[in-house]
Amino acid sequence: MTHVLDPDAPAAAIPPRREPLAPYRDVTRSDAAFRAFLHGLPGVDQVGAESRVAVLGTRSIKTTAKAWAIDTAISMVDLTTLEGADTPGKVRSLAAKARRPDPGDPTTPPVAAVCVYGDLAGVAKEALTCTDISVAAVATAFPSGRASRAVKLADVRDAVANGADEIDMVIDRGAFLAGRYLDVYDEIVAVKEACARPGKDPAHLKVILETGELVTLDNVRRASWLAMLAGGDFIKTSTGKVSPAATLPVCLVMLEAVRDFRAATGRQVGVKPAGGIRTTKDAIKHLVLVNEVAGPDWLTPDWFRLGASSLLNDLLLQRQKLRTGHYSGPDHVSVD
Amino acid sequence: MTQLFEYAPAPESRSIVDIAPSYGLFVDGEFVDGSGTPFTTVNPATEEVLSEVASATDADVDRAVRAARRAFTRVWGPMRPADRGKYLFRIARLLQERAREFAVLESLDNGKPIRESRDVDVPLAAAHFFYHAGWADKLDWAGLGPGPKPLGVAGQVIPWNFPLLMLAWKVAPALATGNTVVLKPAETTPLTALLFAEVCRQADLPPGVVNIVTGAGDTGRAVVAHEDVDKVAFTGSTEVGRSIARAVAGTRKKLTLELGGKAANIVFDDAPIDQAVEGIVRGVFFNQGHVCCAGSRLLVQENVHDEVIASLQRRIGTLRLGDPLDKNTDIGAINSAEQLARIRELSDVGEAEGASRWQPACELPDRGWWFPPTVFTDVSPAHRIARDEVFGPVLSVLTFRTPDEAVAKANNTTYGLSAGIWTEKGSRILAIADRLRAGVVWANTFNEFDPTSPFGGYKQSGYGREGGRHGLAAYLQEADK
C-alpha cells in the first residue's frame, strides 16, 4: 500500500505480530491458520437467533424493574453527534446535556460518554472537565475506513492528543469480506498501540464491525472474535451511517461472543450496539438480552454502552412518566 | 447502581376470565347436568379449586352421541360445504377475539406459563380452525377421490397437556369434513373446552354438532365404546391407546391414535451450538416437558459433549420457574400430583441406575406441584430414563460417535413420534432425516407446529395423521377403489 503522508520517512521495519491471549496464541501465525480458526467457530443459525430474541423481546419489564432499567440505560448512553455540521457550540450543548440529562430532576444519572469526531474531542473534553463522563472519538477514516493505514493511525493519534478517552475505530470491511483477516487483525493491533497516552492508561478501544455491511451472523461472530483477539476493549455494531445499524440478533451474537471469549481467556470485552436504538422499549430489550445472554456482569457502563442520540430523550420522558404517572411531552426535555 | 436486574412481578390479570362455580355437560347446544358425581378442577400452581365439573355417565354419553347423530343427519351432513366453512371461520375469529381469556384460563387450569398459552396454544388453535375452514369446500381437491364423504359421529378423547390446542386438532378437521363430534377433555383440564362450548353457541353453531362430555376414564371409555360412534380419535398415553385399540378392534369404527414419544434430538459437532442449546431447551422444557413429541433424549456427538452440556447448564440457569400467570415465567407447574409423582419416580430410578442428575439452583414455590428442569448425563441406552416417557422437564443425555450410531440410537425406541437434527450441513439433514423412523423430523429447530403439516407417529407412538391434507383422510370415508 502506498501513501504520501510522510513521503520522506524511511520504510518502517515490520514488527513481529502481537500474539493474541492464551489459549489462542497461535491462531494468527498465518493467514491460513487464522482463517481456519475463524471459520471453525460454531455457525449461527439465523432463524434460531431471531426466534431467541423474539422470545426475549416478550419479557415484561414493569415498575421497579423498569425504573432500574431506565436509569441503567441512561448511564450507558454514549451521547453522539457525528455530522459534518457539528460545531463547538453543538458539542458544548451536548456535553451540558450529558452532565445533566434532565435539568428538572437532579437524580437523573449522567450518561457514560459523549461521542464526537476526533477534531472536536478537545472541545468535548473541556466541556466535560470535572466529570466522570468520557470523551469518545470516532477515528480511522470513520465511517468507511477507506484510507491508508498511516492516515488512519494519524487520525487516531490526533484524537487521542485532543483528549479522547475512548477511540471508536472502524474495521476494514473490504479486507474482511475479501478474506484478508490478518490485515484486519494487524490494523486493530496498530490502532490499539496508537491509543497509547503518555503517563496514562491507553485510550479505550471500541472496534466497530459495521455489521450492516458484514450482513451474515456468521460474519458477525467471526469479526467479533477477530476484534477481541486483536485486543479491542469493546466491540461495537455500527457507525450509524449504514442501515441496518444495531439489531437484536446481531447484538445477541456479539454478546454470545464476549461471553465465550471471557470463558476461554479470562478477559472481559464490552459490547456497544449503536444506531437505530430510539425508544426506551428498544433499550430495555437490549438490557434483557445482556442480562440473559452475557449475564449481569455486563450490566454496567464499563461493559455495555448504547450508542445513540434521540434515545436519551425518550428515556427521560419514560422516566418522568414513571415518576409522575403521566406523559409530559417533547417540550419537557431539551432538544439537542 | 450495583443491584441486579430483578424483573418485577408482571402478572397477567385473571379478571378477564369468569369461572363459574360449577359446569354441566354441553349436549345438543345446551349446558345440562351430568348424572355422575361431579369432580373438581384445580389450579396446579396453587392447588386452589377452580370449579366443580359434571361427570358424564354412559347414559349422558349416549344422549350426547344421539344429539351428534341427529345433527349429522339433519343439519351438518347435508349442509353446503361452504356454509360449514363459514361456521369454522367464525369460530376461528372468536378464538382470536377471546384469545386473552382463553390464554389466562388455560394457564390457570393447566399450569403452563402464560407466555406459552398466549403465544403458542391459543394462536395455534385459531390457526387450526382457519386452516380447516378453508378446506371445508375444497375437499374434492384434497386428492382423496371425488366427493369424499364424512364418517358421521366422531368420538374424541384428548389429553391435559394442550387442552385447547388438542381440542382444535380434533374438532376442526372433523367439522370441516362434515362430521359431528362428542369430545371428552381431560379431567384435570376441562375449563377451556367448556369455554369453547360457549364459543360454539356464540358462533350459532347448530346444536349437536359439537358436544362436550366431561369426566374421567369411564366417560372416555363410554365415548369410545358407544356403538353409534363411527370414528374414534385419541391423544394420550400409549397404555390407554392400547386399551382403546382393543375396544375398537373388530368394529367398523375408524381409529387414529396419537400416543407417547421419546424423541431423539441429535446434535452433530458442526451444529450452530447456541441455537442447538436453545432447541434442546425448547425441545424438553417447553410446557414443562408435557409434550408427547418432546426432545427428551439428547444425542450429542461425543467430541462436543462437554461444550454443549456446559452451555446447556448455563442456559437452564436462566430459566424462570414460578407463577404461570407471570409474563416472564418460562417454566410453570406440573399439571397434577399424579404426574409429579411419576416424574419423581422416574428421576429417582435414573439416579439409582447410575445416571448423574443435574438441576439448577432453583427455588420452588411452597404450594402447588413443581419440578425443576433436570438433566441426566452418563445415561446409557439401557437405562429406563432413556427408554420410558417421563412427560416432564427431564432430559437424558446420550452420546454418539458417527452418523450411523446416531441413527441407530435415535431409532432404538419403542416410540417414533418426532426427532430433531442439528447441523449446519444441509446434505446431512436430508440423509439423516430419511433414516429416522419418526413422524416429524425437525432440522435446526424443535417443537415447531403448523396446521398445514401432518403430525403423527411410528410404532407405539400411534397411527394416523393430524393436520395438513393427510389429516383430512382420517375423517373421510375411503374412496371406492
Side-chain angles (χ1 to χ4, degrees):
Chain A
M1 199 186 311
T2 55
H3 62 88
V4 292
L5 193 69
D6 183 3
D8 301 326
I14 299 169
R17 174 167 294 120
R18 217 189 57 152
E19 284 178 350
L21 286 174
Y24 301 113
R25 284 194 201 293
D26 63 343
V27 301
T28 54
R29 68 184 182 276
S30 70
D31 262 318
F34 201 32
R35 181 189 168 82
F37 171 76
L38 293 175
H39 286 239
L41 293 166
V44 186
D45 186 81
Q46 174 125 8
V47 176
E50 282 168 1
S51 90
R52 171 84 168 121
V53 299
V55 171
L56 285 178
T58 68
R59 289 291 190 227
S60 179
I61 305 300
K62 301 288 181 213
T63 61
T64 52
K66 188 171 183 182
W68 186 88
I70 289 175
D71 278 7
T72 304
I74 292 172
S75 74
M76 288 171 166
V77 167
D78 277 7
L79 196 57
T80 303
T81 182
L82 295 169
E83 303 297 334
D86 286 345
T87 57
K90 162 85 186 179
V91 170
R92 277 193 287 268
S93 98
L94 206 65
K97 177 145 187 172
R99 283 163 173 259
R100 197 174 235 218
D102 187 346
D105 184 351
T107 63
T108 313
V111 304
V114 168
C115 182
V116 294
Y117 272 109
D119 60 331
L120 289 165
V123 178
K125 189 71 191 169
E126 203 188 316
L128 292 170
T129 43
C130 303
T131 68
D132 293 331
I133 302 168
S134 303
V135 174
V138 296
T140 66
F142 181 94
S144 70
R146 296 258 67 86
S148 74
R149 188 166 298 170
V151 170
K152 292 183 190 178
L153 295 179
D155 194 10
V156 173
R157 286 192 199 98
D158 254 9
V160 172
N162 285 341
D165 306 296
E166 303 174 355
I167 294 295
D168 289 25
M169 71 168 287
V170 292
I171 63 164
D172 184 344
R173 282 89 75 190
F176 183 90
L177 291 171
R180 289 185 282 111
Y181 299 127
L182 272 184
D183 282 356
V184 184
Y185 175 89
D186 289 340
E187 190 160 288
I188 298 171
V189 171
V191 170
K192 173 100 182 172
E193 278 161 12
C195 287
R197 292 187 293 186
K200 276 207 263 184
D201 286 342
H204 250 55
L205 179 61
K206 305 201 199 91
V207 183
I208 302 173
L209 310 179
E210 195 65 300
T211 53
E213 290 183 347
L214 303 185
V215 180
T216 69
L217 295 179
D218 286 326
N219 276 345
V220 172
R221 172 165 288 174
R222 289 170 191 160
S224 298
W225 275 82
L226 188 159
M228 294 187 293
L229 289 167
D233 298 304
F234 256 77
I235 49 177
K236 174 174 167 184
T237 59
S238 336
T239 60
K241 306 291 183 191
V242 166
S243 184
T247 66
L248 286 165
V250 159
C251 198
L252 169 80
V253 171
M254 290 169 64
L255 288 164
E256 288 166 354
V258 296
R259 176 197 72 196
D260 295 345
F261 187 75
R262 186 180 73 170
T265 67
R267 188 167 87 86
Q268 188 164 345
V269 173
V271 176
K272 176 178 170 185
I277 305 165
R278 292 193 183 87
T279 62
T280 300
K281 215 172 193 168
D282 285 343
I284 291 178
K285 281 184 184 179
H286 277 89
L287 295 188
V288 165
L289 214 58
V290 176
N291 192 37
E292 300 204 27
V293 178
D297 289 357
W298 269 266
L299 274 177
T300 80
D302 289 341
W303 301 110
F304 193 73
R305 295 281 181 83
L306 295 159
S309 38
S310 59
L311 168 66
L312 182 57
N313 272 349
D314 193 60
L315 287 166
L316 296 175
L317 284 173
Q318 292 297 333
R319 195 173 187 278
Q320 291 174 359
K321 154 77 168 50
L322 218 51
R323 304 225 139 192
T324 63
H326 56 263
Y327 283 104
S328 43
D331 287 342
H332 293 257
V333 290
S334 60
V335 292
D336 301 322
Chain B
M1 276 181 292
T2 49
Q3 81 203 92
L4 295 178
F5 194 5
E6 298 284 1
Y7 302 166
E12 178 69 63
S13 165
R14 61 182 281 183
S15 64
I16 191 165
V17 292
D18 204 2
I19 302 177
S22 67
Y23 286 94
L25 312 171
F26 184 65
V27 175
D28 213 9
E30 301 288 338
F31 281 102
V32 297
D33 290 338
S35 325
T37 318
F39 59 98
T40 57
T41 183
V42 172
N43 177 348
T46 59
E47 299 177 49
E48 160 208 6
V49 172
L50 293 169
S51 185
E52 195 179 75
V53 181
S55 177
T57 59
D58 289 6
D60 297 324
V61 169
D62 182 55
R63 249 200 317 282
V65 173
R66 276 190 284 123
R69 173 62 61 190
R70 248 189 335 268
F72 173 70
T73 44
R74 293 185 194 166
V75 189
W76 198 250
M79 188 183 283
R80 260 179 8 115
D83 289 336
R84 287 202 294 257
K86 280 185 199 166
Y87 282 106
L88 290 173
F89 276 122
R90 200 179 291 164
I91 290 172
R93 284 196 301 271
L94 287 167
L95 284 176
Q96 287 187 321
E97 278 168 26
R98 302 180 71 172
R100 251 185 75 205
E101 204 177 337
F102 272 104
V104 171
L105 188 60
E106 196 76 303
S107 283
L108 281 171
D109 203 17
N110 169 281
K112 65 174 67 201
I114 186 79
R115 177 167 66 76
E116 291 178 3
S117 51
R118 178 195 67 199
D119 295 347
V120 182
D121 294 54
V122 178
L124 264 179
H128 270 269
F129 277 97
F130 275 117
Y131 173 76
H132 285 98
W135 267 123
D137 60 353
K138 303 172 191 72
L139 296 172
D140 274 344
W141 294 275
L144 302 166
K149 298 276 178 299
L151 298 169
V153 175
Q156 307 177 320
V157 179
I158 58 171
W160 47 263
N161 58 342
F162 293 96
L164 178 70
L165 183 58
M166 289 301 109
L167 174 149
W169 280 31
K170 296 278 183 283
V171 172
L175 298 195
T177 46
N179 302 275
T180 55
V181 305
V182 175
L183 176 113
K184 188 200 90 74
E187 73 253 41
T188 61
T189 56
L191 294 184
T192 45
L194 294 164
L195 184 59
F196 178 79
E198 211 179 295
V199 163
C200 291
R201 293 226 288 204
Q202 206 182 341
D204 276 331
L205 192 70
V209 174
V210 169
N211 303 275
I212 293 170
V213 289
T214 45
D218 285 342
T219 309
R221 266 186 288 279
V223 170
V224 169
H226 196 287
E227 58 182 18
D228 201 29
V229 162
D230 301 292
K231 151 86 189 177
V232 173
F234 171 75
T235 296
S237 71
T238 295
E239 192 190 339
V240 175
R242 221 180 255 132
S243 72
I244 290 177
R246 241 179 255 127
V248 168
T251 69
R252 70 193 153 77
K253 294 173 190 170
K254 274 184 88 167
L255 175 64
T256 45
L257 296 172
E258 201 264 88
L259 309 176
K262 190 75 187 174
N265 205 356
I266 308 171
V267 177
F268 286 96
D269 62 0
D270 61 355
I273 299 290
D274 286 304
Q275 286 73 47
V277 165
E278 281 312 307
I280 296 164
V281 167
R282 182 175 177 175
V284 73
F285 301 126
F286 173 60
N287 203 32
Q288 295 75 246
H290 303 328
V291 185
C292 43
C293 52
S296 52
R297 281 186 303 151
L298 171 62
L299 285 176
V300 59
Q301 196 160 348
E302 201 167 327
N303 58 357
V304 289
H305 172 273
D306 294 356
E307 181 186 343
V308 169
I309 297 306
S311 231
L312 179 64
Q313 290 179 344
R314 185 189 55 228
R315 173 70 179 90
I316 292 171
T318 68
L319 290 173
R320 307 170 65 88
L321 178 145
D323 180 7
L325 282 188
D326 191 304
K327 290 177 233 170
N328 293 325
T329 292
D330 298 315
I331 310 261
I334 302 299
N335 182 248
S336 64
E338 295 73 50
Q339 188 56 29
L340 179 60
R342 177 174 165 80
I343 297 168
R344 283 191 177 141
E345 183 206 322
L346 271 168
S347 299
D348 292 345
V349 168
E351 226 163 6
E353 286 181 336
S356 323
R357 182 205 293 236
W358 178 89
Q359 287 168 331
C362 167
E363 220 172 287
L364 301 184
D366 299 332
R367 292 187 62 76
W369 304 303
W370 306 89
F371 198 83
T374 301
V375 177
F376 276 102
T377 48
D378 306 317
V379 178
S380 125
H383 288 160
R384 270 186 70 194
I385 48 167
R387 312 199 69 79
D388 292 4
E389 184 178 38
V390 180
F391 221 63
V394 178
L395 178 70
S396 300
V397 184
L398 297 96
T399 60
F400 68 89
R401 294 159 297 177
T402 62
D404 283 349
E405 190 181 357
V407 170
K409 282 185 168 169
N411 285 338
N412 180 223
T413 167
T414 53
Y415 297 109
L417 194 52
S418 68
I421 304 171
W422 295 85
T423 169
E424 286 272 278
K425 199 168 191 169
S427 58
R428 176 174 285 157
I429 291 171
L430 298 175
I432 300 288
D434 250 3
R435 298 169 61 195
L436 291 176
R437 293 183 50 76
V440 182
V441 180
W442 284 292
N444 291 338
T445 188
F446 210 95
N447 276 346
E448 194 71 58
F449 304 99
D450 193 286
T452 62
S453 170
F455 184 92
Y458 280 59
K459 298 189 270 185
Q460 291 187 20
S461 289
Y463 40 77
R465 294 290 177 264
E466 293 184 299
R469 203 177 54 83
H470 304 70
L472 299 170
Y475 288 95
L476 290 166
Q477 293 176 25
E478 273 167 53
D480 297 329
K481 299 249 164 65

